[in-house]
Each structure stands twice: as C-alpha cells, then as structure tokens.
Amino acid sequence: MVTVSEAWQHILEVLPDFGSETVALEDACGRVLRQTVTAERDQPPFDRVMMDGIAIRHTGARRFRLQATQQAGDAPITLSSDEHCIEIMTGAVLPPGTDTVVPVERIAVADGHAELEADYEPERGQFVHRRGSDHPEGALLLAPGSLIGGPEAAVLASQGLARVAVGRHPAVAVVSTGNELVGPERALQPQEIRASNGPAMLAVLRHNGFAGCRDIHLRDEPAAMRNQLGGLLEEHRVLILSGGVSKGKADYVPGILSELGVEVVFHGVSQRPGKPMWFGVRDDRLVFALPGNPVSTLVCFRRYVVPALFGAAGLAPATPETAILSAEYRFRPSLTCFLPAHVRTDDGGRLMAAPSPTNTSGDFTTLAGTSGFVELDRERENFPAGTPVPFYRWQAG
C-alpha cells in the first residue's frame, strides 16, 4: 500500500503527454495553452487618452479655441497652435502637438472656446497612457501551460489569435460496474440502486472541458467485462472505472485489467475514503479503477484523476488551497483522511473549513452543498480548530 503523496508521485512518473490541438478561441476557455504568446505590438500601441475632455499643449494658458473633435478610433488630428485644443474621447490617440488631457468635468465650453476652472491646475502629461508602458512589442504575455480563463482569452483576442493551440483532451470512458446499478430510465427493483458515480464524474469532466467522454455500465460478468473493457482500451486513452476493485469474490476488475495487459502501478492507498484505489497503464493509456462507494469515487476522482488529466494536457501541478479548520476533528486510523467541508471567508480574509463528515462512504447525498474536502495528515489523530489544512474544491480548474 502506498501513501497519498507516493500515489500522486507514481501517477506523475508515468503521465503521458496528450499532445496539442488547435481550436477556435471561443472554444479555448478551460483548456491548457500549448503555445507561447508574445505581444504583436506595443501596449498601448500609441499614447492613449484616458479621459473625455480636451487635449492641449501645456503652456500655462487657461482658455483655448476648439479646433476639432477626435473620437476613439479616429485618425489623429495635429494641434494647429498652442492657443487651440482638441475635444478628445477616452481611448483615442493623443493628438500630435498635445501633451496633456484636461477632463471634461474641469472645463467650461462656450462660444467655440474651452476654459479651465478657476481653481484647477493641470499637470503636464496627465491622463495619458503612454505607448508601450504596459509592455513592449515582443514581450511574453502567456506561456505554455497557462489555464485559459477570461483574462487569458482577452489577451489572446488582443493579439489577433482567432485560433489557439491547446492541450488535447483524450477520449475518456467512465465505466461503472455492478449488477445492482440501474439508470434513471428504468424502474427500480427492491435490490437495485440508481447509478450515480458515472453521472457525477461525467459532469465534472464536462465542466472542465473534457467533452469527448462516455458513461458506460458493465455488469459483474467476467467474460463480458473482459470483452468490453478490451474494446474500451482500444478506443480510449483514459479509462475511469468505479467498483469491483477491492478484494471481494465479485471484484473482478484488477484481474481482468491484468489479463488485458494493463500494468498495475499501485493498488491500495493509505487513505479514507478510497483505500482500495487501483491505477495502471498500458502503453500511453491510463486506467484509474476507483472504489465503488460514491464518496470514495468522488474523492479519488478529484484528488487524482482530474489533476492527472490536466497534467497530461500540459498544466503544471497546482498547489492546493490552504483552509483553516473552524471546528475540531478527530480521526484515529493511521490513514490520510479526506474530510468533506463547507468553506467560507471570515472577516480577516481567511478561508475557513467547517467539517461535514458523511455517515458512510456511501452517503453521497451529504456531499451536496459542500465546497470540497480537506486533507488531514495520517500521522495525527487530533486536529484542533485553527489547524491549517490543504483544501480541494469539487470543481477543479
């Protein structure tokens, strides 16, 4: 059995590179950038006016004849003399011959002239966003490995990139095993339960941009499982299974995966929930076999699978957030404890985590409304209120 940190390190050591693909900018949000983005020109590309008002040459004069009006996007108008001013709009090019902008709130306009307020003294160069002051042409704006969100999309658009190279998202099969599972379309028999693990994992994958995913149910019938899993391994680079991974008589998954040539990397992690977790590889294919109890499935999925998929797409491993326990919690087994929690920010700006333990590892309904889970060190039993702990949100990315 491996520790949590050892399990993650083993995953990183065999993690393949999924490569890259080019997508339209509007489809890139949530994806991992796989190209270097540099500035195509200075930013701003010209001396930019920052306020509506008038552009003048700062000479100490206080009354100016209105020469013309220049809006944002207009070709710049050259100032004809120091006695003139140009009406100007925010975002426009600073007119040649001018060096200062006076806000419209500090002038009075009448009879074709603009006059400064009596008690107002402008500073030379005020309200001018100088060319290249944000960054010069050729500057690095985004490096490969950046997760694309709103600000990154704005940068990409500003550089004229209608299409962008991002980490490829592989075909993923989410496989739930068990004779007792039925979908929402069927009436339940007394001995059956609704399948929830597949829909939960599929929802998280799609939320994080992994669109090419399938949700599949397999019954605990070894010959059929072997045949279907063999086909799924040929068609998908990632298999995520839940159920059939422990040591019970009907836990066929590890043996069948071995028969199919999947090399086990580890089986069993010193954690609760999710102790029987199994992970293996076949060539460049990843197989995660998670315990079937829903809380175990979701915790292992969030702690290991989602970061691994992002890592193979080019995203560097992220350091988890730190939260402060708002109440004492005790955990006796010498196992890492993944404890569901509600989080909020206190008046001092600290992220506070209120423990919300489930009744059992099958009690997934208690997870609804929680923010994620904290990770409690296996070397301790008592975690007083105020203890800083790693925190993982359910919605990664």
PDB file of all heavy atoms in Angstrom, residues 214-233:
ATOM      1  N   ARG A 214     -17.584   9.165 -22.407  1.00  0.00           N
ATOM      2  CA  ARG A 214     -18.715   8.242 -22.447  1.00  0.00           C
ATOM      3  C   ARG A 214     -18.973   7.694 -21.056  1.00  0.00           C
ATOM      4  O   ARG A 214     -18.046   7.463 -20.278  1.00  0.00           O
ATOM      5  CB  ARG A 214     -18.419   7.079 -23.392  1.00  0.00           C
ATOM      6  CG  ARG A 214     -18.239   7.458 -24.837  1.00  0.00           C
ATOM      7  CD  ARG A 214     -17.770   6.246 -25.636  1.00  0.00           C
ATOM      8  NE  ARG A 214     -18.744   5.150 -25.595  1.00  0.00           N
ATOM      9  CZ  ARG A 214     -18.482   3.916 -26.013  1.00  0.00           C
ATOM     10  NH1 ARG A 214     -17.272   3.624 -26.488  1.00  0.00           N
ATOM     11  NH2 ARG A 214     -19.401   2.982 -25.951  1.00  0.00           N
ATOM     12  N   ASP A 215     -20.242   7.468 -20.743  1.00  0.00           N
ATOM     13  CA  ASP A 215     -20.656   6.879 -19.473  1.00  0.00           C
ATOM     14  C   ASP A 215     -21.190   5.479 -19.778  1.00  0.00           C
ATOM     15  O   ASP A 215     -22.174   5.325 -20.505  1.00  0.00           O
ATOM     16  CB  ASP A 215     -21.730   7.757 -18.819  1.00  0.00           C
ATOM     17  CG  ASP A 215     -22.151   7.231 -17.465  1.00  0.00           C
ATOM     18  OD1 ASP A 215     -21.481   6.340 -16.925  1.00  0.00           O
ATOM     19  OD2 ASP A 215     -23.174   7.726 -16.940  1.00  0.00           O
ATOM     20  N   ILE A 216     -20.533   4.457 -19.225  1.00  0.00           N
ATOM     21  CA  ILE A 216     -20.824   3.069 -19.586  1.00  0.00           C
ATOM     22  C   ILE A 216     -21.068   2.267 -18.310  1.00  0.00           C
ATOM     23  O   ILE A 216     -20.384   2.471 -17.294  1.00  0.00           O
ATOM     24  CB  ILE A 216     -19.643   2.463 -20.373  1.00  0.00           C
ATOM     25  CG1 ILE A 216     -19.407   3.249 -21.663  1.00  0.00           C
ATOM     26  CG2 ILE A 216     -19.877   0.984 -20.685  1.00  0.00           C
ATOM     27  CD1 ILE A 216     -18.007   3.208 -22.159  1.00  0.00           C
ATOM     28  N   HIS A 217     -22.026   1.333 -18.373  1.00  0.00           N
ATOM     29  CA  HIS A 217     -22.286   0.434 -17.251  1.00  0.00           C
ATOM     30  C   HIS A 217     -21.958  -0.990 -17.656  1.00  0.00           C
ATOM     31  O   HIS A 217     -22.365  -1.453 -18.729  1.00  0.00           O
ATOM     32  CB  HIS A 217     -23.752   0.537 -16.810  1.00  0.00           C
ATOM     33  CG  HIS A 217     -24.128  -0.501 -15.797  1.00  0.00           C
ATOM     34  ND1 HIS A 217     -25.202  -1.351 -15.960  1.00  0.00           N
ATOM     35  CD2 HIS A 217     -23.559  -0.832 -14.608  1.00  0.00           C
ATOM     36  CE1 HIS A 217     -25.285  -2.156 -14.915  1.00  0.00           C
ATOM     37  NE2 HIS A 217     -24.298  -1.872 -14.081  1.00  0.00           N
ATOM     38  N   LEU A 218     -21.195  -1.699 -16.790  1.00  0.00           N
ATOM     39  CA  LEU A 218     -20.866  -3.101 -17.024  1.00  0.00           C
ATOM     40  C   LEU A 218     -21.361  -3.937 -15.851  1.00  0.00           C
ATOM     41  O   LEU A 218     -21.156  -3.571 -14.684  1.00  0.00           O
ATOM     42  CB  LEU A 218     -19.345  -3.295 -17.161  1.00  0.00           C
ATOM     43  CG  LEU A 218     -18.637  -2.569 -18.304  1.00  0.00           C
ATOM     44  CD1 LEU A 218     -17.161  -2.941 -18.310  1.00  0.00           C
ATOM     45  CD2 LEU A 218     -19.276  -2.897 -19.639  1.00  0.00           C
ATOM     46  N   ARG A 219     -21.985  -5.045 -16.166  1.00  0.00           N
ATOM     47  CA  ARG A 219     -22.394  -5.972 -15.133  1.00  0.00           C
ATOM     48  C   ARG A 219     -21.197  -6.804 -14.663  1.00  0.00           C
ATOM     49  O   ARG A 219     -20.196  -6.929 -15.379  1.00  0.00           O
ATOM     50  CB  ARG A 219     -23.509  -6.894 -15.652  1.00  0.00           C
ATOM     51  CG  ARG A 219     -24.816  -6.153 -15.948  1.00  0.00           C
ATOM     52  CD  ARG A 219     -25.887  -7.110 -16.461  1.00  0.00           C
ATOM     53  NE  ARG A 219     -26.196  -8.152 -15.480  1.00  0.00           N
ATOM     54  CZ  ARG A 219     -27.011  -7.985 -14.440  1.00  0.00           C
ATOM     55  NH1 ARG A 219     -27.598  -6.813 -14.229  1.00  0.00           N
ATOM     56  NH2 ARG A 219     -27.236  -8.995 -13.604  1.00  0.00           N
ATOM     57  N   ASP A 220     -21.307  -7.362 -13.470  1.00  0.00           N
ATOM     58  CA  ASP A 220     -20.236  -8.177 -12.902  1.00  0.00           C
ATOM     59  C   ASP A 220     -20.252  -9.576 -13.506  1.00  0.00           C
ATOM     60  O   ASP A 220     -20.541 -10.578 -12.838  1.00  0.00           O
ATOM     61  CB  ASP A 220     -20.388  -8.249 -11.369  1.00  0.00           C
ATOM     62  CG  ASP A 220     -20.063  -6.925 -10.708  1.00  0.00           C
ATOM     63  OD1 ASP A 220     -19.199  -6.202 -11.214  1.00  0.00           O
ATOM     64  OD2 ASP A 220     -20.689  -6.608  -9.668  1.00  0.00           O
ATOM     65  N   GLU A 221     -19.929  -9.640 -14.778  1.00  0.00           N
ATOM     66  CA  GLU A 221     -19.869 -10.911 -15.504  1.00  0.00           C
ATOM     67  C   GLU A 221     -18.503 -10.950 -16.192  1.00  0.00           C
ATOM     68  O   GLU A 221     -18.277 -10.255 -17.181  1.00  0.00           O
ATOM     69  CB  GLU A 221     -21.006 -10.995 -16.521  1.00  0.00           C
ATOM     70  CG  GLU A 221     -22.387 -10.955 -15.861  1.00  0.00           C
ATOM     71  CD  GLU A 221     -23.526 -10.782 -16.853  1.00  0.00           C
ATOM     72  OE1 GLU A 221     -23.231 -10.621 -18.063  1.00  0.00           O
ATOM     73  OE2 GLU A 221     -24.687 -10.787 -16.421  1.00  0.00           O
ATOM     74  N   PRO A 222     -17.547 -11.728 -15.642  1.00  0.00           N
ATOM     75  CA  PRO A 222     -16.142 -11.637 -16.064  1.00  0.00           C
ATOM     76  C   PRO A 222     -15.907 -11.709 -17.564  1.00  0.00           C
ATOM     77  O   PRO A 222     -15.151 -10.895 -18.112  1.00  0.00           O
ATOM     78  CB  PRO A 222     -15.489 -12.813 -15.334  1.00  0.00           C
ATOM     79  CG  PRO A 222     -16.340 -13.022 -14.127  1.00  0.00           C
ATOM     80  CD  PRO A 222     -17.746 -12.699 -14.555  1.00  0.00           C
ATOM     81  N   ALA A 223     -16.540 -12.658 -18.245  1.00  0.00           N
ATOM     82  CA  ALA A 223     -16.277 -12.797 -19.685  1.00  0.00           C
ATOM     83  C   ALA A 223     -16.721 -11.561 -20.446  1.00  0.00           C
ATOM     84  O   ALA A 223     -15.995 -11.036 -21.306  1.00  0.00           O
ATOM     85  CB  ALA A 223     -16.979 -14.041 -20.220  1.00  0.00           C
ATOM     86  N   ALA A 224     -17.920 -11.065 -20.130  1.00  0.00           N
ATOM     87  CA  ALA A 224     -18.431  -9.873 -20.808  1.00  0.00           C
ATOM     88  C   ALA A 224     -17.595  -8.642 -20.442  1.00  0.00           C
ATOM     89  O   ALA A 224     -17.288  -7.800 -21.300  1.00  0.00           O
ATOM     90  CB  ALA A 224     -19.892  -9.652 -20.436  1.00  0.00           C
ATOM     91  N   MET A 225     -17.210  -8.542 -19.170  1.00  0.00           N
ATOM     92  CA  MET A 225     -16.383  -7.406 -18.743  1.00  0.00           C
ATOM     93  C   MET A 225     -15.051  -7.401 -19.490  1.00  0.00           C
ATOM     94  O   MET A 225     -14.589  -6.356 -19.949  1.00  0.00           O
ATOM     95  CB  MET A 225     -16.135  -7.467 -17.237  1.00  0.00           C
ATOM     96  CG  MET A 225     -17.342  -7.155 -16.374  1.00  0.00           C
ATOM     97  SD  MET A 225     -16.955  -7.224 -14.604  1.00  0.00           S
ATOM     98  CE  MET A 225     -15.966  -5.764 -14.410  1.00  0.00           C
ATOM     99  N   ARG A 226     -14.439  -8.574 -19.595  1.00  0.00           N
ATOM    100  CA  ARG A 226     -13.143  -8.675 -20.277  1.00  0.00           C
ATOM    101  C   ARG A 226     -13.271  -8.234 -21.731  1.00  0.00           C
ATOM    102  O   ARG A 226     -12.443  -7.468 -22.248  1.00  0.00           O
ATOM    103  CB  ARG A 226     -12.625 -10.111 -20.198  1.00  0.00           C
ATOM    104  CG  ARG A 226     -11.205 -10.281 -20.744  1.00  0.00           C
ATOM    105  CD  ARG A 226     -10.747 -11.735 -20.638  1.00  0.00           C
ATOM    106  NE  ARG A 226     -10.757 -12.205 -19.258  1.00  0.00           N
ATOM    107  CZ  ARG A 226     -11.656 -13.038 -18.748  1.00  0.00           C
ATOM    108  NH1 ARG A 226     -12.644 -13.503 -19.517  1.00  0.00           N
ATOM    109  NH2 ARG A 226     -11.592 -13.422 -17.489  1.00  0.00           N
ATOM    110  N   ASN A 227     -14.305  -8.676 -22.388  1.00  0.00           N
ATOM    111  CA  ASN A 227     -14.508  -8.337 -23.794  1.00  0.00           C
ATOM    112  C   ASN A 227     -14.766  -6.833 -23.962  1.00  0.00           C
ATOM    113  O   ASN A 227     -14.175  -6.181 -24.826  1.00  0.00           O
ATOM    114  CB  ASN A 227     -15.686  -9.136 -24.346  1.00  0.00           C
ATOM    115  CG  ASN A 227     -15.938  -8.830 -25.811  1.00  0.00           C
ATOM    116  OD1 ASN A 227     -15.056  -8.995 -26.652  1.00  0.00           O
ATOM    117  ND2 ASN A 227     -17.144  -8.373 -26.116  1.00  0.00           N
ATOM    118  N   GLN A 228     -15.630  -6.283 -23.106  1.00  0.00           N
ATOM    119  CA  GLN A 228     -15.980  -4.864 -23.251  1.00  0.00           C
ATOM    120  C   GLN A 228     -14.834  -3.954 -22.837  1.00  0.00           C
ATOM    121  O   GLN A 228     -14.567  -2.945 -23.491  1.00  0.00           O
ATOM    122  CB  GLN A 228     -17.244  -4.574 -22.442  1.00  0.00           C
ATOM    123  CG  GLN A 228     -18.489  -5.228 -23.039  1.00  0.00           C
ATOM    124  CD  GLN A 228     -19.708  -5.054 -22.144  1.00  0.00           C
ATOM    125  OE1 GLN A 228     -19.854  -5.725 -21.120  1.00  0.00           O
ATOM    126  NE2 GLN A 228     -20.579  -4.155 -22.526  1.00  0.00           N
ATOM    127  N   LEU A 229     -14.141  -4.299 -21.749  1.00  0.00           N
ATOM    128  CA  LEU A 229     -13.017  -3.468 -21.332  1.00  0.00           C
ATOM    129  C   LEU A 229     -11.890  -3.525 -22.365  1.00  0.00           C
ATOM    130  O   LEU A 229     -11.205  -2.516 -22.600  1.00  0.00           O
ATOM    131  CB  LEU A 229     -12.509  -3.910 -19.963  1.00  0.00           C
ATOM    132  CG  LEU A 229     -13.387  -3.536 -18.765  1.00  0.00           C
ATOM    133  CD1 LEU A 229     -12.839  -4.136 -17.478  1.00  0.00           C
ATOM    134  CD2 LEU A 229     -13.502  -2.015 -18.633  1.00  0.00           C
ATOM    135  N   GLY A 230     -11.695  -4.666 -22.993  1.00  0.00           N
ATOM    136  CA  GLY A 230     -10.695  -4.751 -24.053  1.00  0.00           C
ATOM    137  C   GLY A 230     -11.004  -3.808 -25.200  1.00  0.00           C
ATOM    138  O   GLY A 230     -10.125  -3.112 -25.719  1.00  0.00           O
ATOM    139  N   GLY A 231     -12.268  -3.751 -25.590  1.00  0.00           N
ATOM    140  CA  GLY A 231     -12.667  -2.825 -26.647  1.00  0.00           C
ATOM    141  C   GLY A 231     -12.526  -1.375 -26.230  1.00  0.00           C
ATOM    142  O   GLY A 231     -12.066  -0.527 -27.018  1.00  0.00           O
ATOM    143  N   LEU A 232     -12.890  -1.073 -24.982  1.00  0.00           N
ATOM    144  CA  LEU A 232     -12.777   0.303 -24.498  1.00  0.00           C
ATOM    145  C   LEU A 232     -11.320   0.758 -24.433  1.00  0.00           C
ATOM    146  O   LEU A 232     -11.014   1.921 -24.710  1.00  0.00           O
ATOM    147  CB  LEU A 232     -13.432   0.426 -23.118  1.00  0.00           C
ATOM    148  CG  LEU A 232     -14.954   0.271 -23.094  1.00  0.00           C
ATOM    149  CD1 LEU A 232     -15.467   0.194 -21.667  1.00  0.00           C
ATOM    150  CD2 LEU A 232     -15.621   1.439 -23.841  1.00  0.00           C
ATOM    151  N   LEU A 233     -10.417  -0.146 -24.076  1.00  0.00           N
ATOM    152  CA  LEU A 233      -8.997   0.199 -24.050  1.00  0.00           C
ATOM    153  C   LEU A 233      -8.464   0.527 -25.435  1.00  0.00           C
ATOM    154  O   LEU A 233      -7.555   1.358 -25.578  1.00  0.00           O
ATOM    155  CB  LEU A 233      -8.191  -0.956 -23.448  1.00  0.00           C
ATOM    156  CG  LEU A 233      -8.063  -0.992 -21.928  1.00  0.00           C
ATOM    157  CD1 LEU A 233      -7.486  -2.327 -21.477  1.00  0.00           C
ATOM    158  CD2 LEU A 233      -7.188   0.159 -21.439  1.00  0.00           C
TER     159      LEU A 233
END
